[in-house]
Amino acid sequence: MNQDSDGAVEHEADEPGIEYPGLFLKKGEDARLRQGHLWVFSNEVDTGRSPLTEFTPGEIVAICDAGGRAFGLGYINPQALICARLVERGLRHPIDKSLIVHRLKVALELRKQLYAEPFYRLVFGEADGLPGLVLDRFDDVVVGQIGTLGMESLRDAVLEAVMKVIKPRCFVWKNNGSVRKLEALPEYLEVPVGTLEPLTRVVEAGVEFAVDIANGQKTGWFYDQRDNRDRLARLVPGKRVLDVFSYVGAWGVRSAVAGASEVVCVDSSATALAAVTAAAAANGCGDRVRTIQADAFDALKKMRQERERFDVVIIDPPAFVKRKKDFAEGRLAYRRIFEAGMQLLSRDGILIACSCSHHMPRSALLDTINQGARHLDRSVQVLAQLQQSADHPVHPAIPETDYLKGYICRVLPS
Ligand code: SAH
């Protein structure tokens, strides 16, 4: 390994022609990366040796320790707080289409092992070795979401790799969402391959749905709760079920298919609820699924006044703690909605309480559920702890990848 006068690092042994600018870390700042993490924060960089302003945004860099030893390749965004992400440990494989093809094949192998049908999250960013990239597969339609400038620079290679490994009929870039703002990336929807139909079919555990990818939430579907929804079969037969923040009814319609006697789905979006009704009809349970379009907090309050009761209440809301500084306020919102859900439960009923907020730790979620119950003079038994489905693997060194938490609880009178 040499460093020439420009600060470029050349790897002599394996790839004589490859040269990358070196990103030099301060002393000791390589330790977290060596332990498995993939992010470099801008305050960890030795900016005297490698000034961030001298890098081209999005370019590939050799990440080096304070001793000058390059230990991996990554991409850089000098303007972002997370200024670089490690993509390849070692220097043998350049970050290009063939590396992405390899990572995609490894990712695909897992999903094929997990699910009989081609509906799943194919790539979950850092946890699949492709930081900043999400790919959701809906059979022959693949939806991509990029969250970083470095991955945006690899966009064409990603698309080529997907066309090689998956060969979808249609590929969609649904590049929106708040994370892009952190990297000053524009938001856009683009369909570089095929035609995106107004509705795309999703099959989850044999239950049929149709989602509007362009206008729906996130990529159109929440695969992260799929494995958790598989647990409904043991909880809902013969029961009245309330699905709060239902979106297109993944929990609710699956409950009805699993034998619930009656299901009510609550969401503020009329289009989402139209999809609930369509899915219920398509799966032969239209007579047991009802929808309420309203703010969830208002709807639950009203149902309480009307003395409605449910045996199972599912609360799977959008993230209430979007930023760390929103923690106190967001936690209060969770507490209020969980309490409202418990007030609608029949005696010894089941509450499924979830949070997809990165900044809401598992322990805080459980405390919140317990505090809500105690405030109502009830007690909770935790029957199961939930996390995101296996097609969203957790990266053990990156707590942010462990974002979805939930508890299945039985709520007793006191
Ligand atoms: N539980 C769903 C995903 C929920 S996404 C699933 O498993 O697929 C969040 C949903 O909450 C969206 O459909 C959005 O329209 C709805 N929503 C957001 N704020 C709301 C509010 N205050 N009241 C009711 N619905 C709300």
Side-chain angles (χ1 to χ4, degrees):
M1 193 70 45
N2 291 328
Q3 188 193 346
D4 66 20
S5 52
D6 304 332
V9 175
E10 193 177 336
H11 188 248
E12 295 157 26
D14 302 306
E15 297 281 353
I18 299 178
E19 209 177 281
Y20 305 97
L23 179 70
F24 292 90
L25 304 184
K26 291 179 191 161
K27 193 162 187 294
E29 300 291 11
D30 56 311
R32 210 182 69 261
L33 280 92
R34 291 193 197 274
Q35 281 157 16
H37 213 294
L38 303 177
W39 299 347
V40 177
F41 290 91
S42 49
N43 63 355
E44 296 167 349
V45 174
D46 180 347
T47 46
R49 205 164 172 193
S50 48
L52 285 170
T53 46
E54 287 179 11
F55 290 97
T56 307
E59 76 177 320
I60 305 296
V61 294
I63 302 175
C64 308
D65 61 22
R69 223 177 71 86
F71 59 93
L73 298 177
Y75 59 66
I76 191 161
N77 181 356
Q79 275 102 45
L81 179 65
I82 302 171
C83 69
R85 297 185 197 223
L86 183 68
V87 179
E88 167 70 5
R89 285 181 196 279
L91 305 154
R92 266 189 302 147
H93 303 291
I95 301 173
D96 58 8
K97 177 185 158 192
S98 99
L99 179 138
I100 299 169
V101 164
H102 177 68
R103 301 263 158 106
L104 276 185
K105 285 181 176 166
V106 175
L108 179 62
E109 214 42 57
L110 171 69
R111 279 66 181 183
K112 278 183 165 169
Q113 190 183 328
L114 294 170
Y115 305 113
E117 293 184 280
F119 298 90
Y120 38 69
R121 174 148 294 187
L122 174 63
V123 166
F124 182 50
E126 275 72 354
D128 282 303
L130 292 167
L133 179 68
V134 159
L135 296 175
D136 274 358
R137 180 172 189 185
F138 303 84
D139 190 9
D140 56 3
V141 178
V142 173
V143 182
Q145 284 195 316
I146 287 175
T148 60
L149 177 66
M151 192 49 77
E152 188 85 9
S153 309
L154 292 164
R155 205 178 80 121
D156 294 344
V158 170
L159 179 57
E160 285 169 28
V162 171
M163 294 316 291
K164 186 172 161 141
V165 177
I166 309 286
K167 303 178 199 70
R169 173 183 59 77
C170 173
F171 185 93
V172 183
W173 284 120
K174 195 173 175 193
N175 278 332
N176 56 7
S178 52
V179 292
R180 287 180 68 87
K181 291 198 183 72
L182 297 176
E183 302 241 350
L185 289 166
E187 301 198 19
Y188 61 89
L189 181 98
E190 195 182 307
V191 185
V193 176
T195 308
L196 178 62
E197 305 296 335
L199 292 176
T200 299
R201 183 169 166 258
V202 187
V203 184
E204 191 178 283
V207 185
E208 297 269 345
F209 294 86
V211 294
D212 178 348
I213 286 175
N215 303 301
Q217 299 277 326
K218 304 283 170 107
T219 62
W221 187 253
F222 292 91
Y223 285 120
D224 55 1
Q225 290 278 22
R226 181 207 162 112
D227 294 358
N228 299 330
R229 289 190 281 254
D230 288 348
R231 295 169 180 266
L232 287 169
R234 278 168 48 181
L235 302 170
V236 303
K239 308 287 190 193
R240 285 198 88 210
V241 176
L242 177 64
D243 177 3
V244 190
F245 305 99
S246 69
Y247 184 44
V248 297
W251 290 94
V253 176
R254 284 196 60 184
S255 297
V257 171
S261 58
E262 194 187 346
V263 176
V264 176
C265 291
V266 177
D267 201 284
S268 54
S269 157
T271 27
L273 293 177
V276 172
T277 305
N283 292 283
C285 50
D287 54 335
R288 282 179 288 129
V289 179
R290 194 154 59 83
T291 63
I292 297 176
Q293 188 204 343
D295 172 77
F297 293 86
D298 296 343
L300 267 57
K301 189 171 167 199
K302 183 154 175 280
M303 281 191 267
R304 187 181 159 221
Q305 286 161 354
E306 292 164 355
R307 302 195 173 278
E308 286 255 25
R309 286 290 177 272
F310 296 90
D311 306 300
V312 179
V313 172
I314 300 151
I315 302 181
D316 178 22
F320 287 158
V321 187
K322 291 212 168 59
R323 293 159 303 178
K324 212 168 186 168
K325 65 182 179 67
D326 303 333
F327 178 74
E329 199 183 324
R331 184 186 168 126
L332 192 62
Y334 283 115
R335 160 97 183 262
R336 282 178 52 219
I337 200 72
F338 294 158
E339 248 187 80
M342 287 185 218
Q343 288 177 310
L344 291 176
L345 274 180
S346 50
R347 193 187 168 93
D348 302 346
I350 301 284
L351 175 73
I352 303 181
C354 304
S355 161
C356 59
S357 304
H358 298 291
H359 300 295
M360 182 78 179
R362 213 168 276 282
S363 56
L365 180 65
L366 186 57
D367 278 349
T368 303
I369 295 167
N370 187 47
Q371 283 162 9
R374 291 311 304 141
H375 188 232
L376 300 173
D377 203 18
R378 303 204 192 162
S379 303
V380 155
Q381 292 174 311
V382 174
L383 312 186
Q385 308 189 31
L386 308 179
Q387 67 167 52
Q388 67 232 30
S389 303
D391 55 353
H392 296 59
V394 171
H395 190 304
I398 309 180
E400 288 82 351
T401 63
D402 184 17
Y403 69 97
L404 183 68
K405 300 112 197 170
Y407 288 92
I408 302 182
C409 307
R410 191 161 74 137
V411 183
L412 305 171
S414 67

